Amino acid sequence: RAEARLALRRPRLALSDGGRSLALNPGMIDALRVMGDGHRQLGHAKKARYYYQLYLTRSSSDPTAAATRSAIEKAMQELR
């Protein structure tokens, strides 16, 4: 649901969903990306970088996350 809200440009609602997901399951790395994307849409660069960095750290051993890691690294460059 958070993904759909991001696509609809509803970042506050996406952040709410992502935060709830992390509260229920702190190991859910996709929620970290959602949090980063939501903050980026709101113009909160520092918070976006924080969640993106957490995603990169926690997904480092997941080979299926390679494409997402690449996109996040690019987004982090744009936030600087």
Side-chain angles (χ1 to χ4, degrees), residues 26-49:
M28 186 175 210
I29 61 171
D30 288 335
L32 295 171
R33 184 190 47 76
V34 164
M35 297 294 287
D37 289 347
H39 283 294
R40 185 169 56 129
Q41 282 186 14
L42 290 171
H44 304 158
K46 187 175 181 178
K47 287 184 179 181
R49 281 193 302 270

Side-chain angles (χ1 to χ4, degrees), residues 13-27:
L13 293 174
L15 288 172
S16 176
D17 288 346
R20 263 185 291 210
S21 294
L22 287 171
L24 293 171
N25 182 359

Side-chain angles (χ1 to χ4, degrees), residues 45-76:
K46 187 175 181 178
K47 287 184 179 181
R49 281 193 302 270
Y50 171 79
Y51 284 105
Y52 285 154
Q53 190 59 53
L54 280 176
Y55 178 91
L56 292 172
T57 301
R58 293 184 185 176
S59 69
S60 62
S61 62
D62 184 355
T64 63
T68 303
R69 280 195 306 272
S70 177
I72 286 175
E73 288 168 351
K74 182 179 177 185
M76 286 181 70

